[in-house]
Amino acid sequence: MTTGNSNLPLVWDFIDRKKEVFTELADRVWETPETCYMEKLSAAAHREMLEAQGFRITEDVAGIPTALIGEAGEGGPVIAFLGEYDALAGLSQKAGLSSHEPLVAGANGHGCGHNLLGSASLLAATALKDWLEKTGTPGRVRYYGCPAEEGGAAKAFMVRSGAFDDVDIAISWHPSNFAGVQRETSLANCRVDFTFTGRAAHASAVPELGRSALDAVELMNVGVNYMREHMPSDCRIHYAVLDTGGISPNVVQAHAKVRYVVRAPELPGLLALIERVKKVAEGAALMTETQVESTILAGVSNLIVNAPLMDVMQDVWNSMGPPAFDDADIAFAEKIRATLTPGDVAASWNQERLEARDIPLADFVLPPHNEVRQMGGSTDVGDVSWVVPTVQAYGATLAVGTQLHTWQVVAQGKSPLAHKGMVSAAKAMAATGLAAMTSDQLREAAWADLKKRRRGQEYTSPIPSGAEPPVAAMTVK
Ligand SMILES: [Zn+2]
């Protein structure tokens, strides 16, 4: 290991000593799947664990009732572990089954494995805290309980509130098919509602008195679709009409609303593109003599990777190897695999540019590669990564070929194989955190890398200064 840190086995020891209670925490959160800013029970479970482990707790971070921070230690650097605990709507599924059978029809389910995500991050934070105490080393470790990753952009609001201002290094992970280091960037994105207001009138008797908000929405969409030819090809724009102004064709529609999602590889490009979309909306309002108001609901920045931290985490994984799955894990993974399509399985290998092998569970650690790839989606970890050097692991918690946001993820979410993958991810994070805590040189190199990758750009929040976390709105799905 190039981290050269003889304390690694001790920090892993602390994880092994407490892995059972954190497995219970992950299972408990699995059993109360809650979505986007409604994670009351899940956040309470994390708060209880923080208390039990002796962390100092801050609640209502950024004014969000389900966001919390636990801190331990004194002085020294601040190492942050980011956790999530939100679920997805409509993905209820019985645990341990290899057939699609909802636990409660139509209910939520942990289809992205965030029950494991939060628990492992808190376990890593606890192990590093225990290590600081045992060795009397100055330094602070924090666990950030972050709600609403799925569509709510809570971390962007938390960053804006200053919650990460004094953090030296941030570490997180995501459940996956494979174990290793995340080396992908993600797209910056923003959700904007455009609400048009016109004037109602009898559409046949006095059409000249009406001003149609629905016409404005249609013209805006046409305008944006023409604009596509003249925008960067790696940007994305999608829209959904939320309000068509009523069901009566013989009434000129006085109100209409369209929601846009705009994505771009980097934040400055995103902000520039949103301004162009706004101009199209204003043009549509001008053409139809209606008024338009735009409201940015939530936005997230692109993810910035960090080479020095990825190198250290790679070394940690190389020294640790993949989770030690047993025959029962392999047998369950085989059953899950039988429910996947060949396309599912191929997609998992393709994503990592690896040649497919006929294995139900990862038996290797992802090799390093120099190319930083663009993943199609977006994540609010992006905002943290703009203001703090950030590194993320992948933990092997799923049968190879399992795709996120499916019932198969929920079915595996409480299984022994998921628990093993979760604990090994906690070890990868704790060891990386320990290296960052104890090496000034590593932290300096990580900050230099972040500055280089920002290319002189300052962080600009994708959320307008007046906008509040959409805690009550819950429409940001
Ligand atoms: Zn996720």
Side-chain angles (χ1 to χ4, degrees):
M1 291 199 45
T2 57
T3 46
N5 200 314
S6 57
N7 295 306
L8 281 179
L10 184 57
V11 82
W12 286 346
D13 232 31
F14 286 124
I15 286 186
D16 283 328
R17 281 183 218 173
K18 291 185 173 171
K19 64 184 179 192
E20 278 81 18
V21 287
F22 282 86
T23 296
E24 283 164 22
L25 174 64
D27 289 356
R28 188 174 157 192
V29 172
W30 185 98
E31 280 154 21
T32 58
E34 300 160 302
T35 61
C36 209
Y37 291 115
M38 299 174 83
E39 311 88 344
K40 284 199 180 102
L41 298 171
S42 308
H46 279 244
R47 190 183 54 235
E48 278 173 34
M49 182 59 91
L50 283 168
E51 262 165 23
Q53 299 299 331
F55 283 85
R56 305 182 288 272
I57 298 169
T58 307
E59 294 186 88
D60 285 319
V61 180
I64 302 168
T66 53
L68 69 163
I69 296 174
E71 188 189 71
E74 299 294 340
V78 179
I79 307 299
F81 294 90
L82 315 180
E84 296 163 10
Y85 30 68
D86 57 325
L88 290 156
L91 280 179
S92 177
Q93 163 67 31
K94 288 183 181 165
L97 284 193
S98 53
S99 58
H100 186 17
E101 208 174 304
L103 192 60
V104 181
N108 304 329
H110 270 287
C112 209
H114 294 183
N115 60 309
L116 303 162
L117 203 170
S119 186
S121 294
L122 182 42
L123 175 53
T126 303
L128 190 51
K129 167 192 164 288
D130 291 349
W131 182 88
L132 287 176
E133 277 170 14
K134 176 89 178 176
T135 58
T137 308
R140 279 166 290 162
V141 56
R142 285 203 199 131
Y143 170 71
Y144 283 73
C146 309
E149 190 278 330
E150 303 284 0
K155 291 187 200 73
F157 288 102
M158 292 164 80
V159 168
R160 193 186 68 178
S161 77
F164 290 90
D165 283 359
D166 62 347
V167 175
D168 288 279
I169 300 291
I171 301 169
S172 192
W173 77 293
H174 203 283
S176 176
N177 292 199
F178 305 114
V181 180
Q182 281 195 44
R183 293 174 186 276
E184 288 93 23
T185 62
S186 62
L187 294 168
N189 96 9
C190 202
R191 286 162 192 244
V192 196
D193 280 355
F194 293 91
T195 307
F196 290 89
T197 308
R199 197 187 313 140
H202 193 293
S204 184
V206 281
E208 70 278 12
L209 298 181
R211 296 292 181 268
S212 171
L214 180 59
D215 286 357
V217 164
E218 291 190 74
L219 287 166
M220 179 186 172
N221 294 345
V222 169
V224 169
N225 288 332
Y226 269 93
M227 193 184 76
R228 281 183 206 281
E229 192 186 345
H230 308 287
M231 67 181 211
S233 56
D234 47 7
C235 293
R236 298 280 183 274
I237 301 184
H238 338 284
Y239 56 80
V241 180
L242 304 188
D243 173 15
T244 56
I247 57 163
S248 303
N250 60 345
V251 177
V252 174
Q253 289 82 0
H255 51 86
K257 188 173 186 174
V258 60
R259 174 167 297 171
Y260 269 74
V261 175
V262 183
R263 299 183 204 252
E266 292 198 359
L267 188 61
L270 175 71
L271 297 174
L273 192 55
I274 289 169
E275 287 311 308
R276 292 180 67 194
V277 173
K278 281 186 183 169
K279 279 187 192 167
V280 175
E282 284 158 17
L286 197 60
M287 280 190 279
T288 51
E289 294 185 291
T290 58
Q291 275 87 48
V292 64
E293 257 182 51
S294 62
T295 311
I296 295 183
L297 297 168
V300 301
S301 300
N302 55 296
L303 194 64
I304 301 179
V305 297
N306 195 280
L309 294 175
M310 290 193 297
D311 288 347
V312 167
M313 187 179 266
Q314 184 74 44
D315 287 342
V316 170
W317 274 118
N318 290 347
S319 70
M320 193 166 64
F325 296 117
D326 60 23
D327 290 346
D329 298 327
I330 290 169
F332 179 47
E334 290 278 17
K335 283 186 184 166
I336 290 289
R337 199 161 66 139
T339 71
L340 306 172
T341 67
D344 290 333
V345 176
S348 288
W349 292 100
N350 286 343
Q351 205 178 338
E352 294 301 332
R353 309 290 196 279
L354 294 171
E355 208 172 305
R357 287 172 47 214
D358 187 25
I359 50 169
L361 281 169
D363 61 357
F364 65 100
V365 163
L366 287 172
H369 55 77
N370 293 325
E371 175 203 354
V372 174
R373 294 167 196 140
Q374 178 76 62
M375 67 162 122
S378 306
T379 168
D380 61 3
V381 177
D383 290 88
V384 179
S385 77
W386 268 82
V387 297
V388 181
T390 302
V391 66
Q392 298 187 87
Y394 277 131
T397 65
L398 297 163
V400 175
T402 307
Q403 298 302 314
L404 297 176
H405 296 201
T406 60
W407 67 262
Q408 286 94 339
V409 177
V410 191
Q412 295 170 78
K414 261 187 11 172
S415 64
L417 80 86
H419 296 150
K420 290 187 183 83
M422 172 191 127
V423 170
S424 79
K427 286 186 176 174
M429 288 189 284
T432 306
L434 179 60
M437 182 72 90
T438 52
S439 169
D440 298 348
Q441 208 186 351
L442 174 57
R443 292 193 307 278
E444 279 162 23
W447 275 96
D449 194 66
L450 173 57
K451 284 185 181 134
K452 190 183 82 192
R453 288 173 195 272
R454 286 203 309 218
R455 299 195 306 274
Q457 299 158 15
E458 284 306 309
Y459 172 70
T460 311
S461 178
I463 302 160
S465 54
E468 294 301 318
V471 176
M474 242 67 78
T475 49
V476 197
K477 293 308 292 179

